[in-house]
Amino acid sequence: MNDRNFVTGLAVLAAGLFASSISSFLEHFVLFETATDFARGFFDGLSVVAFAVAIFVLVRSKRTTKP
């Protein structure tokens, strides 16, 4: 397994978890209704994209190894 691609995949996965946590945090503190809903949707979408990229990078790094 390529260590650089593996670490990159884990970093993107951590960024997705962080974006998901921000979205959950914003759910509890509603200051401006429309702006908060927009920010929650943005961070939810960002986390979905980050998870997809992380899965792609981690699978790709696993496939590039030679036995």
Side-chain angles (χ1 to χ4, degrees):
M1 194 174 328
N2 191 351
D3 288 336
R4 184 171 184 227
N5 287 341
F6 183 71
V7 171
T8 303
L10 289 180
V12 173
L13 182 66
L17 289 172
F18 183 67
S20 179
S21 297
I22 290 174
S23 175
S24 296
F25 179 75
L26 287 174
E27 183 178 356
H28 296 291
F29 298 101
V30 179
L31 297 176
F32 304 107
E33 187 173 337
T34 305
T36 305
D37 289 343
F38 175 78
R40 282 186 55 220
F42 174 77
F43 285 116
D44 279 339
L46 185 65
S47 66
V48 168
V49 170
F51 291 146
V53 169
I55 289 170
F56 176 77
V57 169
L58 289 171
V59 168
R60 187 170 150 217
S61 72
K62 181 72 174 171
R63 281 190 184 169
T64 58
T65 60
K66 295 180 181 178

